Amino acid sequence: MSRLPSDPPDFFRVHVFICTNRRPDDNKRGSCAQKGSEDLREHMKNAQKKLGLKDVRINSAGCLDRCGQGPVMVIYPEGIWYSFHTIADIDEILDTHVVKGGRVERLMLAAQP
C-alpha cells in the first residue's frame, strides 16, 4: 500500500514490533517469549537509545501468528519480517536494516509462512 499525498508524515521513521507473547509452557504452539524475545527486545531498545535513534520506536507486540518461526519481529514502513535468536542477530538487524536501510537476508521471513 502506498502513501497518499494527503497522508500526514510518519510519526516514526522506523517502527519495530517484536512479539513478546507468552503462552503456558505446555502449549504446543510455544511462544516467542519462551524463546527469549523479551530480553532480546530489551537489548534492542537499549542499543537504539545508545545510538540516539529518536525517530525509531521499538514496541512489544502480542502474538504475530508466526510462533513456529519465532521469535519474530516486523519492521515498518517496509513490512519486513525477521526471525532472530541472539544478541548478535538483534545488533545486525539494528545496524543493517534500521540504521543503514539494508536487509539481513539470512534472518528474513517469507511473506507467507
Side-chain angles (χ1 to χ4, degrees):
M1 181 181 273
S2 60
R3 294 183 55 79
L4 298 176
S6 60
D7 289 346
D10 290 333
F11 195 76
F12 298 109
R13 178 180 62 84
V14 175
H15 205 154
V16 180
F17 293 90
I18 297 177
C19 178
T20 56
N21 187 54
R22 181 174 295 279
R23 289 192 179 90
D25 290 340
D26 61 350
N27 186 292
K28 67 181 180 178
R29 287 187 73 193
S31 66
C32 290
Q34 290 170 335
K35 298 173 185 175
S37 67
E38 294 164 319
D39 290 340
L40 292 167
R41 176 191 166 272
E42 194 63 29
H43 174 79
M44 190 175 207
K45 282 183 64 75
N46 291 335
Q48 171 240 341
K49 288 176 186 173
K50 284 181 187 174
L51 291 170
L53 301 174
K54 296 182 188 292
D55 59 351
V56 174
R57 178 72 179 185
I58 313 293
N59 276 103
S60 287
C63 182
L64 295 173
D65 205 26
R66 297 186 90 168
C67 312
Q69 298 170 302
V72 298
M73 73 172 72
V74 60
I75 301 179
Y76 291 105
E78 302 88 358
I80 301 296
W81 289 78
Y82 289 105
S83 178
F84 56 93
H85 301 280
T86 66
I87 286 174
D89 291 345
I90 291 291
D91 290 342
E92 187 176 0
I93 292 166
L94 189 60
D95 180 57
T96 302
H97 187 126
V98 176
V99 173
K100 296 176 181 170
R103 302 293 181 266
V104 183
E105 291 189 22
R106 70 181 184 82
L107 299 175
M108 286 173 60
L109 297 173
Q112 296 297 319

